[in-house]
Amino acid sequence: MQDGDIKFASKASRFNSSHYDFVSDVWHIIFGENFHAGYFKQPGESFSVATNNLTEAMAALGRFSKESKVLDVGCGIGGPAIFLHEKFGCHVHGITISEKGTQIANESARQKGYSSHLKFTVADATDNKLPDESFDIVWGMESFHLMDDKARVFAECYRVLKRGGQLLLCDNMAGNHRLSDAEAVAHYKELRLLERVFGKTRTETLAGYESAARAAGFKDIVSRDINEQTMPPTIKYFRNKVKSQYQELVDLSSKQYINDFLGMCDTWEHFNRLGVMSYGLLRGTKPAA
Ligand code: SAH
């Protein structure tokens, strides 16, 4: 993608656009079709089952039908959109800032014969240019933490939803232990490491997401902390997977990136234990009238 093809709403979006182009192939091996955490219901479950469990847990909060028009905000390489279409028969329009992500996703949809129901385009979710009141469901799966202006992304989700429509999201969130300035300085290296692995992020607590959703106009907010079922087992999986396919992953990206990825596993575990990082699910509804 050429600079100028899309007007990014922020510097973070511009940075993350090339970051997600860069990680697409290597994450495809590490994560599979779904660029999100696993939701482990029982010990020993495989990561691919666990990532689909998370999609199911989020979908269970929504009202889907064959006619539903779904906007997938931050669609990765299309795994969740394909899953939703296979389960409900719905239409999904996925948007992402990664051109590479849209190419992989459109090709997967084409190979499965789903192109009449699924499409993936490049757009910044904080200024998505889509028409008002055109979707029944907005789906934000592990993408909001990559957008620094939470008010804008919630406002955009609200604007494009039809009245009575639902916003469903899950995300890496800040835990209840906020790093003090002194702690942030002490953990500077680890914070930079997370940025090299995931891109520029701004995490928010579950309570912060609830109030941002309410401020945008959403009602009937339902939220759940699902940290324990997601983060510790996902990190354990990441570490084993990356160690077992180390050289292949280095060849697809770089030694620096894969070593950073392994370092991230330790940092994430540490921050998760401290209560700095967490994981949550949320649903909000745009009032019918
Ligand atoms: N929801 C997908 C991907 C999660 S990874 C899945 O669960 O498989 C985060 C995704 O958010 C990536 O596709 C990234 O390109 C996208 N993203 C990050 N910032 C964005 C922005 N400002 N607008 C749209 N998409 C964004």
Side-chain angles (χ1 to χ4, degrees):
M1 181 170 45
Q2 301 297 311
D3 265 11
D5 281 357
I6 167 176
K7 194 174 170 303
F8 293 106
S10 67
K11 275 191 193 156
S13 297
R14 176 179 301 280
F15 179 93
N16 286 339
S17 169
S18 31
H19 181 78
Y20 276 84
D21 281 350
F22 172 70
V23 298
S24 287
D25 287 335
V26 76
W27 281 28
H28 206 162
I29 306 280
I30 302 173
F31 286 74
E33 303 302 317
N34 296 290
F35 287 180
H36 60 244
Y39 180 85
F40 289 82
K41 291 191 190 163
Q42 40 208 336
E45 227 162 17
S46 74
F47 188 67
S48 67
V49 166
T51 47
N52 283 332
N53 288 343
L54 184 58
T55 312
E56 287 218 305
M58 200 165 130
L61 293 176
R63 218 177 26 244
F64 286 85
S65 75
K66 246 173 80 177
E67 280 74 43
S68 302
K69 292 204 166 19
V70 180
L71 175 66
D72 184 355
V73 166
C75 60
I77 56 168
I82 287 172
F83 184 93
L84 292 174
H85 173 64
E86 287 180 342
K87 190 169 169 77
F88 301 109
C90 55
H91 292 257
V92 187
H93 179 174
I95 58 171
T96 167
I97 42 163
S98 163
E99 171 96 42
K100 180 102 183 252
T102 63
Q103 285 164 359
I104 300 173
N106 280 316
E107 180 54 20
S108 301
R110 196 191 60 75
Q111 279 178 13
K112 288 181 180 282
Y114 299 158
S115 298
S116 58
H117 284 72
L118 305 182
K119 73 168 171 188
F120 302 93
T121 59
V122 175
D124 189 329
T126 57
D127 183 16
N128 64 38
K129 318 276 191 225
L130 295 165
D132 292 355
E133 304 199 347
S134 48
F135 293 94
D136 301 288
I137 292 175
V138 173
W139 175 273
M141 194 163 203
E142 240 179 77
S143 59
F144 281 33
H145 67 285
L146 295 160
M147 301 170 212
D148 45 9
D149 193 338
K150 300 287 185 277
R152 267 181 88 165
V153 64
F154 276 98
E156 280 290 81
C157 294
Y158 190 86
R159 182 182 65 74
V160 300
L161 269 176
K162 296 179 192 168
R163 287 163 201 268
Q166 297 173 310
L167 168 69
L168 304 174
L169 73 85
C170 69
D171 212 357
N172 296 120
M173 297 188 182
N176 291 324
H177 180 83
R178 277 282 190 198
L179 287 181
S180 65
D181 288 352
E183 283 174 318
V185 170
H187 288 298
Y188 178 76
K189 278 192 178 156
E190 286 104 316
L191 294 168
R192 290 306 303 266
L193 175 74
L194 293 179
E195 182 175 306
R196 291 199 299 276
V197 174
F198 294 114
K200 287 198 187 295
T201 63
R202 177 166 298 173
T203 50
E204 187 48 79
T205 58
L206 190 53
Y209 272 91
E210 287 174 24
S211 41
R214 232 175 255 118
F218 288 101
K219 303 274 188 242
D220 301 327
I221 291 168
V222 172
S223 70
R224 259 168 69 204
D225 181 326
I226 52 166
N227 182 61
E228 280 315 305
Q229 300 94 321
T230 51
M231 294 331 299
T234 293
I235 292 299
K236 212 165 141 194
Y237 161 80
F238 281 161
R239 187 183 284 112
N240 290 336
K241 177 78 176 170
V242 171
K243 282 190 174 164
S244 70
Q245 284 174 253
Y246 182 82
Q247 195 52 47
E248 181 188 353
L249 297 170
V250 167
D251 293 343
L252 269 176
S253 55
S254 68
K255 196 165 188 165
Q256 157 105 51
Y257 185 76
I258 295 306
N259 288 341
D260 280 347
F261 200 97
L262 285 172
M264 171 282 290
C265 295
D266 298 339
T267 297
W268 201 346
E269 266 174 2
H270 180 60
F271 279 179
N272 206 240
R273 267 198 302 273
L274 284 179
V276 172
M277 290 169 79
S278 189
Y279 205 94
L281 261 181
L282 179 141
R283 180 187 75 203
T285 302
K286 179 165 174 169

